[in-house]
Amino acid sequence: MLTLDKIKGLNLEPSSRCNARCPFCSRQQKVRPYGGHQISLAEFKRLPPEMLRQLKWINYGGNFGDLCTNHDFVEIVGHVRALNPGIVMGGDTNGGFQDEAWWFELGRAYGEGALGFCIDGLADTHARHRVGTEYHRVLRNLSAFVAGGGTAYWKFIVFQHNQHQIEAACDLANKIGCRRFYAIASRDYDDALRPPDAFEITIKRDLFREHAAPDDRARCKPLAKGAIYIAADGTVHPCCQAHTMYITAHNHRFGFIVPLIEKYREAINFKTRPLAEILDGPYFKAVFKQAPQCAYCRIKCGGALKTVRREMVLHQRCFDGAP
């Protein structure tokens, strides 16, 4: 059983809103309504302070939104940092919303926590994938974040139309003050956004299939690492995959999760229920019981995860002694 005192990591979706329209995003695959949710500072403070103090890490990402669309996000980060000065923070953003002053303050609150800025090319190519974002604004926001003291990574998704810009983007990342630059394959390609021909590409889902051992047993992250996922609508899940599956219903092998969320959805919302009660409730117990035998869970949380993440990276460079 997972209890409050065992939680060491938190994946948090601060907002389900996004200023971008990336073609392959999960936002484009929804089969259930999931509107403009966000976790306010007041709602975030419902999370037990004793849990936040014991966390080793927190990752601000999300399945459907971008953290920069949450107007309380700087205050949320500051609240976490005040309770837990040594916590390791992570996350990803398109960096295309808010002004430079906001990003400077976020950098001050983040400190050594690393935030990945998703910039897929240079001025003439970036917005072909990051639709709705403006390249120069993103660079100004990234620079402000670094100037505030934040540790930034430049994350570059490679396509045929931007593959020739990897080295120039890498040099620019270094000049701006990023600690790391890395280029990865896209989760999908199509006729408009073609795969690069400068690299041998295997997309993520195929890599999982290639490396998954038939006899792998899934290791639920909450049990193995003491981590949970909180969505912007307030629902609490063992992992981000459970929430994505419910909203997008994209893989029948993980289908057992959908009726469970339908049944318990009102009882797993931290905005209205105590977190300890949710963790001790029937939803988490049912997931832990079924996940080890689930084919989808075996693929996503079996022994292949680290290998897949490593093979997704096509090019990388670290600066200033970053790991």
Side-chain angles (χ1 to χ4, degrees):
M1 183 176 74
L2 181 65
T3 54
L4 210 59
D5 62 301
K6 294 179 182 176
I7 297 178
K8 304 301 179 187
L10 177 62
N11 287 296
L12 183 83
E13 179 184 53
S15 174
S16 67
R17 302 167 183 155
C18 191
N19 53 302
R21 302 183 302 280
C22 306
F24 307 126
C25 179
S26 297
R27 294 175 62 84
Q28 318 304 334
Q29 303 169 354
K30 291 186 287 188
V31 298
R32 290 181 177 81
Y34 187 60
H37 303 284
Q38 76 166 25
I39 296 173
S40 69
L41 176 62
E43 289 166 341
F44 186 83
K45 285 183 175 180
R46 286 181 55 86
L47 293 174
E50 63 271 22
M51 183 202 74
L52 295 176
R53 290 190 184 98
Q54 76 193 17
L55 291 178
K56 300 296 184 184
W57 58 268
I58 184 168
N59 187 70
Y60 306 104
N63 293 325
F64 300 98
D66 196 287
L67 57 83
C68 67
T69 64
N70 184 326
H71 294 283
D72 286 352
F73 186 64
V74 173
E75 289 75 18
I76 288 172
V77 171
H79 176 66
V80 173
R81 185 66 77 190
L83 289 173
N84 189 341
I87 192 170
V88 176
M89 296 191 185
D92 289 296
T93 180
N94 64 57
F97 195 60
Q98 306 291 355
D99 60 20
E100 293 169 67
W102 188 91
W103 286 99
F104 182 87
E105 290 303 316
L106 182 61
R108 290 182 63 184
Y110 239 80
E112 284 299 304
L115 185 60
F117 283 74
C118 303
I119 309 173
D120 302 332
L122 300 178
D124 59 331
T125 59
H126 166 71
R128 285 186 61 177
H129 178 238
R130 300 284 166 183
V131 180
T133 66
E134 200 279 307
Y135 173 79
H136 294 290
R137 182 179 187 179
V138 175
L139 286 195
R140 288 195 297 270
N141 290 340
L142 165 58
S143 298
F145 178 80
V146 172
T151 297
Y153 294 166
W154 182 317
K155 176 182 175 183
F156 183 119
I157 296 181
V158 183
F159 299 92
Q160 192 175 101
H161 67 263
N162 65 8
Q163 62 183 356
H164 63 290
Q165 297 176 327
I166 290 176
E167 287 299 334
C170 189
D171 290 341
L172 181 57
N174 187 20
K175 182 178 179 181
I176 290 173
C178 294
R179 292 286 295 278
R180 181 185 176 209
F181 174 94
Y182 62 106
I184 65 170
S186 175
R187 68 165 61 178
D188 265 314
Y189 293 99
D190 60 19
D191 289 339
L193 296 168
R194 296 177 179 274
D197 51 27
F199 300 92
E200 198 170 310
I201 296 292
T202 304
I203 58 178
K204 192 173 184 179
R205 60 177 174 271
D206 293 333
L207 282 172
F208 271 112
R209 293 191 190 103
E210 283 182 14
H211 293 291
D215 58 348
D216 264 356
R217 285 180 61 81
R219 297 180 299 114
C220 257
K221 288 181 181 178
L223 292 180
K225 297 183 178 180
I228 57 173
Y229 178 83
I230 299 180
D233 64 356
T235 55
V236 183
H237 305 273
C239 65
C240 67
Q241 301 293 338
H243 182 244
T244 304
M245 181 65 200
Y246 177 66
I247 302 299
T248 66
H250 65 281
N251 196 305
H252 69 279
R253 288 174 294 185
F254 199 23
F256 81 84
I257 202 71
V258 174
L260 287 178
I261 295 176
E262 285 285 355
K263 184 176 181 179
Y264 298 116
R265 184 170 50 176
E266 298 303 317
I268 59 173
N269 196 308
F270 90 97
K271 296 180 182 182
T272 57
R273 301 290 181 96
L275 183 58
E277 178 184 304
I278 294 170
L279 298 179
D280 190 41
Y283 171 61
F284 270 75
K285 290 176 182 176
V287 174
F288 293 154
K289 182 178 179 180
Q290 297 186 55
Q293 288 75 44
C294 171
Y296 186 84
C297 294
R298 286 200 301 271
I299 290 174
K300 289 290 184 177
C301 289
L305 185 58
K306 288 185 179 179
T307 301
V308 170
R309 286 177 175 170
R310 184 172 60 251
E311 293 191 10
M312 285 286 291
V313 177
L314 305 174
H315 177 91
Q316 69 174 323
R317 192 191 304 172
C318 297
F319 314 109
D320 296 330

